[in-house]
Amino acid sequence: AQSVAQPEDQVNVAEGNPLTVKCTYSVSGNPYLFWYVQYPNRGLQFLLKYITGDNLVKGSYGFEAEFNKSQTSFHLKKPSALVSDSALYFCAVREYNNDMRFGAGTRLTVKP
Amino acid sequence: NAGVTQTPKFRVLKTGQSMTLLCAQDMNHEYMYWYRQDPGMGLRLIHYSVGEGTTAKGEVPDGYNVSRLKKQNFLLGLESAAPSQTSVYFCASRPLGGPDQPQHFGDGTRLSIL
């Protein structure tokens, strides 16, 4: 069965510093991996996805994610964090055409 | 383009009351989903639909029913609300296609059961 884990409940970074939000997954076949962001009182917004090909995927708002098959990870990254990046981030995995499974979420706080 | 619209946005119920949450999408998507979001647990799938007239159970279906009479609408019903159903409910949709299709979410319904 597919599953995804976000090992950090909370990530704090200073504005201008690089950020990383971690995600690991478990599937028996090829994974389809996604990152979503949730701002207060809003639904989840799609950031980026990994299907196949380049291990570094670029998405919205300057975010990117690195796929590592040997470590079964899909970490979200940004070279220079903004205060406006503060939000709740969810990693999700889908195997074949099954349901999407979400991680528990990581709250990112970027301090000025 | 409204995308996915959920009504109502907020609701307070008493234990035992019933209610229906409405989800409407204007993107002609085949798939529709209902999730609940609870602190520290991410999103858990309640029910989903792969097309008009079809529904299926997700991870946490107990206490909920759904209907998809029209392609653009997906209704979630609570027949007898319980405090454990206090949560934020999200509807999502995605087009017919491969597993690489992301889901589009509404802004949620915040439901409190007293």
Side-chain angles (χ1 to χ4, degrees), chain B residues 4-38:
Chain B
V4 179
T5 303
Q6 294 183 231
T7 53
K9 296 188 185 305
F10 305 94
R11 186 73 183 268
V12 178
L13 290 178
K14 295 181 179 179
T15 297
Q17 287 185 318
S18 63
M19 79 161 295
T20 300
L21 281 63
L22 172 63
C23 176
Q25 53 94 5
D26 61 2
M27 298 172 283
N28 201 35
H29 285 174
E30 290 292 335
Y31 294 84
M32 295 188 75
Y33 307 84
W34 276 107
Y35 292 91
R36 59 178 289 172
Q37 182 181 24
D38 301 292

Side-chain angles (χ1 to χ4, degrees), chain A residues 10-23:
Chain A
Q10 174 90 33
V11 171
N12 298 314
V13 298
E15 187 173 31
N17 282 1
L19 70 86
T20 298
V21 182
K22 296 180 180 178
C23 172

Side-chain angles (χ1 to χ4, degrees), chain B residues 6-90:
Chain B
Q6 294 183 231
T7 53
K9 296 188 185 305
F10 305 94
R11 186 73 183 268
V12 178
L13 290 178
K14 295 181 179 179
T15 297
Q17 287 185 318
S18 63
M19 79 161 295
T20 300
L21 281 63
L22 172 63
C23 176
Q25 53 94 5
D26 61 2
M27 298 172 283
N28 201 35
H29 285 174
E30 290 292 335
Y31 294 84
M32 295 188 75
Y33 307 84
W34 276 107
Y35 292 91
R36 59 178 289 172
Q37 182 181 24
D38 301 292
M41 302 187 74
L43 276 75
R44 292 182 293 169
L45 183 63
I46 304 171
H47 286 281
Y48 64 98
S49 169
V50 300
E52 182 179 319
T54 70
T55 64
K57 294 180 180 180
E59 184 183 358
V60 288
D62 294 343
Y64 305 95
N65 56 76
V66 289
S67 64
R68 183 107 181 260
L69 299 179
K70 294 182 178 181
K71 184 177 183 178
Q72 63 268 34
N73 295 337
F74 195 30
L75 280 63
L76 178 70
L78 285 73
E79 292 183 345
S80 179
S84 61
Q85 294 178 304
T86 293
S87 188
V88 182
Y89 292 85
F90 287 98

